[in-house]
């Protein structure tokens, strides 16, 4: 995990927006804008006052450098932050100065110069309850403000903001040398004597260019026009100097020079939309409504590509830095009973589609960290098996004797090619696998067949060992076939095998069908429903340009008019199935599928059967490309249930062996060793599919309860209830005897993770019954 965590140091989430880094006060512009947008003028005023010290002076001095860097400058006009700041002054009803009830600090500071910089420093330090004396060489306060601002504005601002503070102002009191302050008991001095004023050695090379030094045990600091800062910058210098002096008086350490670093923030280009600037009707200032509309134009710039494109961050409303912290807390060694595991469900909900790394300017791989977290949990024996148990058992079934198949072409011992449909296509529609293989055989008779699961469910669960076994099983069968080139139908299989078994030669089924002309030899089923269509590229095919191009060529060859799915073609995202979040967070899986389905009103063509099924479940018209080529033209297929998927795999294996190789395989009936006639209604079957409870599991529970008598009877309802533990899960079924024929009707079924321990008493001895 350390490699993934290291990259988070480059995260740009907390980088300031462009406008804030140009503003000398570096205040929270986004919060200010948000308050103005909502019409919270009092709150906006307080934020602005706290940032600038003297809000009316700051607004008068502002030359709007932020407007030169605002991204909206090329999309309707830069946000007029200067007019918004003035609007908050106009419309705030409560402009009372802040007051702080703090104990006196016991240390004294001299401020040389009563211009905007000196008075800003005096305001901050007196608010912190230092003893402050301001020495002004002239007979009035304000400095250069008299040259370009009405005195009632700045004098009124001084008076109001210093209303609650105690300080001494000494007019006509120039200080020409350090010795003049000797014996006055000052602990620090701020020199703001203006352009060309006395610098007291602070501007010399000996001060290191930092504008501060210690002389005779007193800290000396410089700022404002004396050091070349003009306008609002001089005001902000005074505020910054107060912070530096406060730190010096507490620690005895001089600060380094003030450095206003540029922002590293990168704006996601899709955020930029045209919005005309709001022009004040009176030509001078915003009305309340105009101010709110102008604030609403703001993009609220921040580096948020992860929030825009990563579905998990949007669904959980969490930024990657917080997710990182939760993953670290969750994966720390220690029993989950005694430590927090805030990311246990979140980690199992991720699609692991790699989208964050694709869009993050810093290259942070959030999904890589999540997968590493799953692997860590598995190594520690803390993995939430309930979230992945169904998928692991499904993988094991796919690689077992009842579903897996490895055969050279009919009449041959080895092959140059082998069709690798994966486990999901045949589970969803076995006819598509059979017909696609037939097309390949006709084009190249030296094409064998290898049906197994690529191991993705184990990999996604963080079970490295079991995943390795699945990949090794494929490698062994590949060797047995004579090391052919594998023709993969599933983009996830292509990705998994390319990553974990790079020695296996791979090519996409869709490129192969197109290049071999295999699809052209058939009369395509053609479009299903009205067109045009949009091709939905699965996340696993994000970088597979050949497969993308071939699918579009095949679709057009089948008579489909295509339109681009602009968002998906620019940034290829998951349909919601990847990473198998359906148990850990079915709400999240549905959320993602609905988002992708809503990106276009056109029907979709998919070439991942999981994408097709995810969309169809959400009511989106979607067909698999192989349905267009080899289907019956019967319209959009209903996704197979979990139980049907198991039967489909077995039927596919048995049918292929029988029809192509003349091998007869006995068809096994359902798991009914007691010969019971167990019936399940459509409503129950639908609920079972949602909960991923298989029909065979229900039959197993009922048979067990009937055989052992371990069941309860509800006389009012006339039903029996009982459970049986299968693997890690406990399955419960409520059922009743349905007539003289001996049929049993299952009424309800559910499962949970709890293990029930029973004790039986035999001749006074407590025992655990062997169930």
């Amino acid at each position: 995990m350390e490699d993934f965590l290291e990259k988070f140091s480059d995260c740009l989430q907390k980088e300031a927006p462009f406008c804030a880094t140009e503003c000398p006060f570096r205040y929270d512009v986004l919060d200010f804008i948000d308050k103005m947008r909502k019409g919270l003028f009092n709150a906006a005023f307080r934020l602005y006052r706290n940032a600038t010290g003297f809000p009316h002076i700051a607004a008068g001095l502002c030359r709007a450098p932020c407007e030169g860097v605002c991204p909206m400058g090329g999309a309707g006009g830069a946000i007029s932050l200067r007019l918004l700041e003035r609007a908050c002054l106009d419309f705030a009803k409560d402009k009372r100065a802040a007051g702080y009830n703090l104990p006196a600090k016991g240390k004294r500071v001299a401020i040389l110069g009563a211009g905007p910089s000196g008075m800003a420093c005096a305001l901050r330090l007196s608010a912190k309850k230092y003893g402050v004396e301001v020495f002004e060489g002239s007979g009035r306060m304000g400095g250069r403000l008299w040259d370009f601002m009405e005195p009632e504005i700045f004098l009124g601002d001084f008076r109001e903001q210093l209303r609650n503070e105690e300080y001494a102002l000494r007019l006509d009191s120039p200080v020409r040398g350090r010795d003049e302050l000797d014996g006055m008991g000052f602990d620090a001095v701020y020199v703001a004597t203006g352009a060309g004023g006395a610098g007291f050695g602070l501007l010399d090379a000996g001060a290191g260019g930092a504008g501060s030094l210690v002389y005779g045990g007193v800290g000396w600091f410089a700022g404002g026009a004396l050091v070349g800062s003009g306008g609002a910058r001089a005001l902000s210098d005074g505020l910054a100097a107060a912070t530096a002096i406060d730190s010096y008086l507490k620690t005895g350490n001089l600060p380094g020079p003030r450095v206003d670093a540029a922002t590293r923030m990168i704006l996601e280009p899709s955020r930029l939309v045209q919005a005309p600037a709001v022009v004040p009707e009176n030509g001078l200032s915003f009305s309340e409504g105009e101010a709110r509309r102008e604030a609403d134009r703001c993009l609220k710039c921040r580096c948020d590509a992860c929030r825009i494109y990563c579905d998990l961050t949007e669904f959980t409303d969490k930024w990657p830095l917080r997710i990182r912290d939760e993953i670290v807390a969750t994966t720390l060694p220690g029993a989950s009973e005694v430590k927090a595991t805030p990311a246990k469900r979140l980690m199992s909900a991720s699609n692991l589609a790699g989208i964050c790394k694709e869009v993050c300017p810093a290259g942070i791989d959030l999904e890589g960290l999540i997968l590493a977290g799953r692997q860590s949990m598995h190594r520690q024996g803390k993995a939430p098996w309930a979230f992945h148990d169904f998928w692991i058992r499904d993988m094991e079934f796919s690689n077992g004797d009842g579903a897996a198949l490895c055969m050279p072409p009919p009449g041959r011992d080895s092959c140059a090619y082998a069709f690798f449909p994966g486990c999901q296509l045949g589970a969803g529609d076995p006819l598509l696998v059979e017909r696609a293989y037939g097309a390949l055989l006709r084009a190249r008779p030296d094409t064998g067949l290898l049906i197994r699961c690529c191991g993705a469910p184990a990999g996604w669960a963080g079970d490295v060992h079991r995943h390795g076994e699945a990949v090794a099983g494929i490698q062994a069968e590949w060797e047995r076939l004579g090391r052919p080139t594998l023709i993969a139908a599933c983009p996830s299989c292509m990705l998994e095998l390319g990553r974990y078994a790079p020695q296996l030669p791979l090519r996409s089924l869709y490129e192969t069908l197109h290049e071999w002309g295999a699809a052209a030899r058939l009369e395509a089923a053609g479009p299903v429903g009205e067109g045009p269509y949009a091709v939905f590229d699965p996340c696993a095919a994000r970088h597979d340009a050949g497969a993308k191009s071939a699918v579009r060529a095949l679709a057009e060859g089948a008579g489909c008019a295509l339109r681009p799915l602009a968002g998906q073609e620019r940034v290829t995202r998951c349909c919601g199935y990847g990473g198998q979040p359906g148990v850990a967070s079915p709400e999240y899986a549905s959320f993602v599928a609905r988002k992708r389905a809503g990106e276009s009103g056109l029907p979709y063509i998919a070439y991942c059967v999981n994408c097709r099924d995810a969309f169809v479940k959400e009511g989106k018209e979607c067909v698999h490309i192989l349905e267009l080529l080899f289907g019956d033209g019967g319209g959009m297929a209903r996704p197979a249930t979990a139980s049907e998927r198991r039967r489909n795999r077995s039927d596919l294996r048995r049918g292929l062996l029988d029809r192509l190789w003349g091998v007869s395989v006995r068809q096994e009936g359902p798991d009914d060793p007691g010969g019971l006639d167990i019936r399940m209604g459509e409503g129950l079957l639908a609920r079972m599919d949602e909960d991923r409870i298989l029909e065979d599991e229900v039959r197993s529970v009922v048979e067990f309860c009937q055989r052992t008598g371990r069941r309860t009877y509800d006389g009012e309802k006339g039903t029996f209830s009982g459970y049986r533990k299968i693997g890690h899960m406990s399955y419960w079924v409520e059922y009743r005897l349905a007539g003289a024929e001996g049929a049993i009707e299952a009424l309800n079924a559910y499962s949970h993770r709890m293990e029930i321990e029973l004790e039986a008493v035999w001749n006074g001895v407590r025992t655990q019954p062997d169930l």
Side-chain angles (χ1 to χ4, degrees):
M1 290 177 56
E2 294 304 319
D3 290 343
F4 296 106
L5 291 172
E6 244 179 65
K7 288 296 294 179
F8 278 83
S9 61
D10 299 327
C11 180
L12 306 180
Q13 173 191 331
K14 297 182 180 179
E15 285 293 303
F18 305 108
C19 53
T21 56
E22 289 298 310
C23 176
F25 300 104
R26 294 291 177 116
Y27 76 102
D28 191 343
V29 176
L30 298 186
D31 193 18
F32 174 81
I33 289 281
D34 191 54
K35 288 175 169 56
M36 292 296 291
R37 180 179 60 82
K38 296 174 181 176
L40 303 175
F41 300 115
N42 287 338
F45 173 81
R46 286 193 295 273
L47 189 156
Y48 185 61
R49 177 202 62 201
N50 293 342
T52 62
F54 299 110
H56 291 275
I57 295 174
L61 293 174
C62 177
R63 295 297 175 263
C66 54
E67 295 182 14
V69 296
C70 177
M72 287 299 293
I79 303 300
S80 185
L81 192 55
R82 175 167 48 180
L83 290 183
L84 287 174
E85 291 166 350
R86 292 177 181 176
C88 98
L89 301 179
D90 291 340
F91 303 123
K93 299 294 190 292
D94 184 0
K95 301 179 187 177
R96 290 174 296 176
Y100 304 98
N101 186 16
L102 299 173
K105 288 290 195 300
K107 295 190 177 183
R108 303 179 64 234
V109 181
I111 295 174
L112 310 186
S117 189
M119 294 308 296
C121 186
L123 172 65
R124 280 286 191 268
L125 291 174
S126 60
K128 293 177 182 290
K129 307 311 176 189
Y130 287 102
V132 175
E133 288 190 39
V134 181
F135 295 84
E136 168 57 43
S138 72
R140 61 187 185 181
M141 61 195 305
R144 295 291 303 276
L145 293 177
W146 289 89
D147 296 340
F148 46 79
M149 190 178 294
E150 294 296 325
E152 58 266 24
I153 294 177
F154 62 84
L155 293 177
D157 217 4
F158 287 154
R159 185 167 51 250
E160 177 58 33
Q161 300 310 319
L162 286 160
R163 178 185 302 277
N164 298 321
E165 312 305 340
E166 293 184 7
Y167 72 104
L169 174 62
R170 300 180 182 276
L171 299 177
D172 297 312
S173 301
V175 177
R176 296 178 177 85
R178 294 178 188 155
D179 58 339
E180 294 183 30
L181 299 179
D182 289 347
M184 298 183 70
F186 291 115
D187 300 284
V189 178
Y190 179 52
V191 181
T193 50
F200 300 91
L202 290 168
L203 306 183
D204 299 341
S212 61
L213 54 78
V214 177
Y215 178 79
V218 177
W220 287 71
F221 301 80
L226 175 67
V227 299
S229 298
R233 172 73 185 203
L235 186 64
S236 73
D237 272 6
L239 301 173
T243 300
I245 291 170
D246 180 45
S247 175
Y248 165 74
L249 294 177
K250 290 176 179 177
T251 67
N253 297 321
L254 288 175
R258 177 179 174 182
V259 178
D260 293 338
T263 184
R264 298 182 301 145
M265 200 269 290
I266 297 175
L267 184 68
E268 164 58 34
S270 65
R271 291 274 310 278
L272 199 62
V273 292
Q274 289 287 330
V278 176
V279 179
E281 187 175 349
N282 64 15
L284 297 174
S285 59
F286 285 141
S287 66
E288 291 189 21
E290 289 169 341
R292 295 182 66 174
R293 290 199 304 276
E294 178 68 359
D296 199 43
R297 294 178 58 241
C298 177
L299 296 174
K300 303 170 188 62
C301 294
R302 63 191 311 177
C303 185
D304 57 359
C306 52
R307 291 297 296 262
I308 294 172
Y309 295 110
C310 179
D311 298 307
L312 188 65
T313 60
E314 179 184 356
F315 181 77
T316 60
D317 194 23
K318 294 178 181 178
W319 289 82
L321 288 177
R322 178 176 172 184
I323 293 175
R324 174 204 62 185
D325 293 342
E326 292 186 359
I327 291 173
V328 170
T330 300
T331 56
L332 285 173
S336 58
E337 292 81 2
V338 295
K339 61 182 287 294
T341 54
K344 183 178 286 189
R345 187 178 297 273
L346 180 149
M347 283 194 293
S348 292
S350 171
N351 293 124
L352 301 178
I355 189 64
C356 284
K357 184 178 180 181
E358 292 286 325
V359 301
C360 175
I364 292 171
D365 188 356
L366 179 61
E367 288 100 339
L369 175 64
I370 290 173
L371 180 57
R374 292 187 188 184
Q375 293 168 348
S376 173
M377 295 288 281
H378 196 276
R379 285 194 302 271
Q380 297 179 58
K382 300 192 302 184
W385 56 263
F387 296 156
H388 301 282
D389 180 68
F390 172 83
W391 312 109
I392 294 294
R393 289 190 291 117
D394 197 55
M395 180 190 79
E396 290 175 342
F397 177 85
S398 299
N399 288 337
D401 293 340
L405 183 60
C406 177
M407 297 293 288
R412 298 178 182 238
D413 295 325
S414 62
C415 50
Y417 298 92
F419 180 36
F420 187 82
C423 62
Q424 297 297 323
L425 182 60
D429 191 340
L431 184 64
L432 297 181
V433 173
E434 190 168 343
R435 290 185 174 176
Y437 182 49
L440 293 174
L441 269 179
R442 284 186 290 274
R444 290 293 298 262
D446 56 347
T447 303
L449 182 63
L450 175 54
I451 302 178
R452 291 182 70 89
C453 176
C454 67
W460 289 337
D463 190 339
V464 175
H465 176 72
R466 191 173 267 148
H467 177 263
E469 287 183 334
V471 174
I474 294 171
Q475 291 174 319
E477 300 286 44
W478 172 72
E479 293 278 359
R480 192 163 70 84
L481 288 173
R483 299 189 170 190
T485 295
L486 298 183
I487 301 172
C490 173
S492 291
C493 292
M494 287 279 291
L495 190 64
E496 284 288 306
L497 295 179
R499 181 178 296 164
Y500 297 105
Q503 71 274 28
L504 301 182
L506 288 168
R507 61 181 295 139
S508 162
L509 168 66
Y510 311 103
E511 286 184 90
T512 304
L513 290 174
H514 181 56
E515 291 175 12
W516 290 3
R521 299 166 187 260
L522 297 175
E523 183 177 344
V528 179
E530 296 294 326
Y533 288 84
V535 173
F536 183 88
D537 295 306
C539 56
R542 182 178 295 132
H543 300 297
D544 193 344
K548 290 180 180 181
S549 175
V551 167
R552 286 160 174 78
L554 291 170
E556 289 172 340
C560 296
L562 300 181
R563 300 291 182 269
L565 187 57
Q568 188 69 1
E569 292 178 5
R570 185 176 66 254
V571 180
T572 307
R573 292 185 279 177
C574 186
C575 68
Y577 180 87
Q580 294 172 328
V583 175
S585 182
E587 301 84 3
Y588 171 70
S590 179
F591 165 80
V592 177
R594 289 196 307 272
K595 277 193 68 180
R596 297 293 95 76
E599 290 174 5
S600 172
L602 298 175
Y604 287 169
I605 295 173
Y607 47 107
C608 166
V609 72
N610 296 318
C611 293
R612 184 203 68 176
D613 289 353
F615 293 137
V616 173
K617 284 181 180 178
E618 297 299 332
K620 175 73 174 180
E621 187 176 355
C622 181
V623 295
H624 195 285
I625 182 65
L626 296 181
E627 291 178 285
L628 297 179
L629 301 177
F630 307 124
D632 293 325
M636 189 168 63
R638 173 186 65 81
T641 67
S643 294
E644 289 170 343
R645 296 174 77 83
R646 290 279 181 96
R647 289 196 292 271
N648 284 345
R649 290 185 182 116
S650 296
D651 291 346
L652 174 63
R653 178 180 185 275
R654 188 172 50 255
L656 287 170
L657 283 172
D658 182 31
R659 286 186 287 276
L660 295 179
W661 287 278
V663 177
S664 179
V665 179
R666 183 174 65 89
Q667 181 173 0
E668 298 180 2
D671 183 15
D672 258 342
L676 300 177
D677 179 11
I678 301 173
R679 302 171 184 176
M680 302 168 220
E682 290 299 318
L684 174 60
L685 290 172
R687 292 197 305 274
M688 288 165 50
D689 186 48
E690 278 298 311
D691 296 338
R692 292 177 176 80
I693 298 175
L694 302 176
E695 295 170 33
D696 284 351
E697 290 164 343
V698 170
R699 292 189 181 98
S700 177
V701 173
V702 173
E703 184 279 328
F704 175 81
C705 292
Q706 288 295 97
R707 173 169 51 84
T708 64
R710 196 186 71 180
R711 58 188 183 177
T712 61
Y713 180 69
D714 186 329
E716 291 185 8
K717 297 167 65 176
T719 61
F720 294 94
S721 294
Y723 79 95
R724 185 179 191 181
K725 187 177 179 183
I726 304 174
H728 290 292
M729 302 291 284
S730 293
Y731 293 87
W732 287 80
V733 178
E734 180 185 8
Y735 64 94
R736 67 183 170 204
L737 306 181
E741 315 88 43
I744 293 176
E745 181 183 7
L747 303 172
N748 194 14
Y750 65 95
S751 63
H752 57 68
R753 291 172 284 172
M754 291 187 294
E755 183 172 353
I756 300 172
E757 295 186 358
L758 297 177
E759 286 188 334
V761 180
W762 299 96
N763 297 322
V765 179
R766 295 184 181 276
T767 66
Q768 292 287 338
D770 182 9
L771 303 179

